[in-house]
Amino acid sequence: MRSLGIVALCITLGGCVTNSETVQFKTSNPQQQALMRDGQPALVSRQKNSLVLWRPASRQFQANGRPVFVVGINNLGRAPIDFRVSQVEAIQHVEGTDHSMQIVTYEMLMQKEKNRQVARALITGLAAAGNAYSASQAGYGSYTTPNGRTGTFYSPTAAAIAQGNAAAQNEAMVAATVEAGQRNMAALEQSVIKDNTLMSGEWYGGQLHLAPPTDQGGGAKTYTIVITVGADRHVIDIAQGPAGV
C-alpha cells in the first residue's frame, strides 16, 4: 500500500524524475562568479565589453538527453557587438581527451519539429481514414427472423449519422495536430537563442541546446562551452552528473 501511495503521489506531482542529472559550474577565471538563483546553479561571466549569465533551463536533465541552458548576454561597451551561434563551441572532456559537442541550432530544431509534424500528420491521416471506413460500413446490418431466416439491410439514416460523427472527429483531430505544430514552432521561435547584434547596454538571450554528452557509465560528465561575444570569449566549465550525488 505504501508503494501505491508513492506512485499516486508521483502522478499527482507530475511524475517522478528517474535517471535525472544536475549540473554544477566551475569558475575558470577571476571574472566569473558561481552562484544560486531560485534554487538553481548559475554563473556570471564578465569580460571587457560583455557580461554573460548562464543557468540550466530546468532543475534536472534527463540522463543521456539533450542539455539545455538559458543564456543572457549584456553589451557593456559603447559600440554594437555581435553574437553568432556558429561561434559557440562545446567540448567534452573524456579521460584526458577532448571531443566536440554539437550545438543544436534554431534551424536544426525547427527542421526536427517539421519532421515530427509530418509524422504526426501521417498518423492522423491513417486514423481519419479508419474513422471514415468504419462510418461507411455503419449503415449495413443483418437480421434473423424467428423462423431462422437471415438477411441484410442498409439504413441511410444510420450511415449519415455515423459519417457525420466521423467527419467531426476527423476535423477535430486535424485541427489539434495543426494547432500543436503551430504552438511548438512558436515556442521555438520565442525561446531559442539566435544570431543577434546587441546595441550598447542591450540585453539579449534565450535557450542554447547541446547534443547529449557521451555517457560515462553513470559517472560525471565534464564539458566546456565557449561563448564569443564581439571580441570577448566567455569560457564556461560544467560538470553534469546524477542528481543527489
Side-chain angles (χ1 to χ4, degrees), residues 99-234:
H99 302 273
S100 178
M101 297 172 62
Q102 184 182 42
I103 305 298
V104 184
T105 64
Y106 166 75
E107 291 77 16
M108 295 167 63
L109 291 168
M110 287 291 282
Q111 186 58 53
K112 289 182 180 179
E113 176 57 31
K114 290 177 181 178
N115 293 341
R116 281 194 293 265
Q117 290 187 29
V118 170
R120 284 194 293 263
L122 290 174
I123 293 172
T124 300
L126 290 174
N131 280 344
Y133 176 77
S134 297
S136 70
Q137 304 299 309
Y140 294 94
S142 61
Y143 65 88
T144 302
T145 65
N147 60 6
R149 183 180 177 182
T150 62
T152 60
F153 67 88
Y154 177 73
S155 171
T157 301
I161 292 174
Q163 290 169 7
N165 290 338
Q169 292 174 358
N170 290 345
E171 183 178 350
M173 282 195 302
V174 171
T177 299
V178 172
E179 181 182 357
Q182 292 176 340
R183 186 168 57 248
N184 291 344
M185 298 281 257
L188 289 174
E189 174 67 37
Q190 295 173 5
S191 63
V192 180
I193 199 165
K194 310 169 192 69
D195 294 353
N196 198 73
T197 297
L198 287 79
M199 307 307 290
S200 178
E202 184 180 7
W203 278 95
Y204 173 69
Q207 292 183 354
L208 182 69
H209 294 239
L210 306 178
T214 302
D215 182 61
Q216 299 300 300
K221 309 161 190 174
T222 60
Y223 47 96
T224 298
I225 300 174
V226 181
I227 296 184
T228 301
V229 183
D232 294 344
R233 282 170 56 87
H234 299 265

Side-chain angles (χ1 to χ4, degrees), residues 53-108:
L53 299 178
W54 187 275
R55 70 169 179 82
S58 58
R59 296 186 183 277
Q60 296 182 349
F61 293 156
Q62 184 68 31
N64 301 318
R66 182 191 302 151
V68 182
F69 296 92
V70 176
V71 184
I73 305 170
N74 182 215
N75 180 2
L76 302 175
R78 297 181 179 181
I81 55 177
D82 290 335
F83 166 77
R84 296 286 181 264
V85 177
S86 61
Q87 295 180 331
V88 178
E89 303 172 66
I91 305 98
Q92 184 179 0
H93 313 293
V94 181
E95 297 180 351
T97 304
D98 291 344
H99 302 273
S100 178
M101 297 172 62
Q102 184 182 42
I103 305 298
V104 184
T105 64
Y106 166 75
E107 291 77 16
M108 295 167 63

